[in-house]
Amino acid sequence: MEFDVLFLGSGQGAWNGAIPMAKAGLKVGVIEEGLFGGVCTNRGCNAKITLDRPVEILRQVEQLQGRGFDSLPALNWPDLMAHKHEVIDSLADSNKQKLENAGVQTIIGHGTFVDSHTIEVAGKNYTAEKVVIVSGRLPHRLTIPGSELFHDSTDFLVMEEMPERMTLIGGGYIAMEFATVANAFGSDVTVILRGTSILKDFHQPYVEEVVKDLKQRGVKFQMNVALESAEQTEKGIVMRGKEGYQHTTDYVLDATGRVPQTQNMNFEGIGLAFDAAKGIPVNEYLETNLPGVYATGDILDKKQLKITPVAAYESQYLAHLFAGDTDQPIVYPPIAYNVFTSPRIASAGITVEEAEQSPEKYKITAVDYAGKDWFHQVGNDDINKITFVYDQEDYMVGVTNVGNDAVETVDGLLDVMNAKLKAPDQEELIYIFPSIAHSYMKYI
């Protein structure tokens, strides 16, 4: 075989494993038809947080009006978009160069399976003992008359001007994060949902806090809307639905989810098991139904969250497996995750809802930081609540937080959960004072 390991795709489910594999002496190749680093690096997480950063700062300044600040800074979308290109556009080439510097061969073009050990790219066949599929997911697109007028998350992240009126379809991460950003930059934002579910992966009382805040800022939520068509008119894009629903806007963002990228790779031809809606099932070693063919990242049909750090974890696991460092199946630790709204919501481990369903197994403690903790009062936080979940031995097994610093708080408490620290053990942790960590540790 030409390669020991050949990756089909260069996202975080490839990049984090390919380099250590090459350093371990394996001959590794990475096939990519687009930008190296995948969606997160180029058209997702990195770009999104760059556009959100001024919003995060603005919210904190708002909370200190009359407490050190007399006016708010003005936001400028074209300037911010130029900055986004400045920090994001070079990442793809940088990632490609890092792969090559580590000894990984990069192959440009669309990869198609010939058989389970052979992938064809631009008329040339490449063979490998092991193939890892890292094709990820694509934005789901509605298929109603006029839906060609709609945009997706990729379009939003390169949008040169902020529209006067923006409408987002969906209630997930993308809809809520981009609604937050667009609203802060002055767009008249409407969120349309087919049902009533918003951010279903998060503790709903905390979601309600975020939604309430957005509503107070002028974001409108229209529930139980079944869209049927859209058309461009002189007044804007007119969206119509059942029971006479009608809404006019300037820009429509289809944020109805993401779907596995399984097309045009000949999965059917080689007998690879996959579900067009769910992705590729794998065993406890991340191996598909075909021996020697593996998969990582968002393409997987799995219960774990489809987020970048999980893809990276899976790729690193395969590096250890293929290098012979382990022969054990993958074991997922507690996973921290968040939504970049303002305020943030972040969680890890056992959810509050899971704990409430099993009171014989778990205990729940809630704290209102905004009204109780002096350090959060320094920033005049108006929304900051945290809920801890403990097992019957008093080990923390879950946490969820809504607040400006939710990401840092949950990341820090993830270490406490993984280390299985109880109150006496925490006496050995001497944190900087004052700090977020010093603040939350006294409540756990």
Side-chain angles (χ1 to χ4, degrees), residues 141-301:
R141 300 303 294 266
L142 292 175
T143 55
I144 59 175
S147 60
E148 68 276 3
L149 300 169
F150 300 169
H151 299 270
D152 60 23
S153 57
T154 302
D155 300 327
F156 182 96
L157 293 171
V158 294
M159 188 170 59
E160 294 183 358
E161 298 288 342
M162 180 62 66
E164 183 176 340
R165 299 171 296 180
M166 176 177 291
T167 299
L168 302 99
I169 308 171
Y173 290 74
I174 293 174
M176 297 300 290
E177 290 173 343
F178 289 178
T180 299
V181 171
N183 168 260
F185 276 87
S187 188
D188 182 0
V189 176
T190 301
V191 179
I192 297 176
L193 298 100
R194 185 177 183 86
T196 60
S197 178
I198 298 176
L199 296 175
K200 60 182 177 59
D201 291 331
F202 293 91
H203 186 39
Q204 288 303 294
Y206 289 177
V207 173
E208 291 169 6
E209 294 276 5
V210 170
V211 171
K212 178 182 177 182
D213 182 72
L214 285 172
K215 286 181 177 179
Q216 291 174 342
R217 297 177 184 279
V219 176
K220 296 174 284 293
F221 289 82
Q222 299 180 357
M223 310 288 193
N224 297 310
V225 175
L227 291 173
E228 293 182 320
S229 67
E231 66 172 326
Q232 183 71 59
T233 71
E234 292 182 357
K235 295 182 178 180
I237 299 172
V238 178
M239 307 168 69
R240 296 186 175 88
K242 293 182 178 179
E243 300 179 357
Y245 174 83
Q246 184 169 310
H247 174 69
T248 304
T249 188
D250 300 315
Y251 188 102
V252 181
L253 175 61
D254 184 345
T256 53
R258 299 181 68 83
V259 294
Q261 187 168 333
T262 60
Q263 302 299 312
N264 304 317
M265 287 176 281
N266 195 32
F267 289 170
E268 301 94 336
I270 64 170
L272 179 75
F274 73 97
D275 184 298
K278 297 179 180 180
I280 301 174
V282 293
N283 64 16
E284 57 190 355
Y285 296 92
L286 302 181
E287 191 172 26
T288 70
N289 66 305
L290 299 179
V293 179
Y294 297 76
T296 64
D298 291 0
I299 190 62
L300 295 185
D301 177 3

Side-chain angles (χ1 to χ4, degrees), residues 84-119:
K84 191 226 65 166
H85 287 299
E86 179 182 40
V87 299
I88 299 298
D89 290 359
S90 63
L91 294 180
D93 287 341
S94 174
N95 283 338
K96 180 175 181 290
Q97 190 61 54
K98 288 176 182 177
L99 287 170
E100 293 172 349
N101 290 346
V104 177
Q105 181 176 336
T106 58
I107 303 165
I108 309 299
H110 178 78
T112 304
F113 277 96
V114 176
D115 58 46
S116 59
H117 294 283
T118 308
I119 297 179

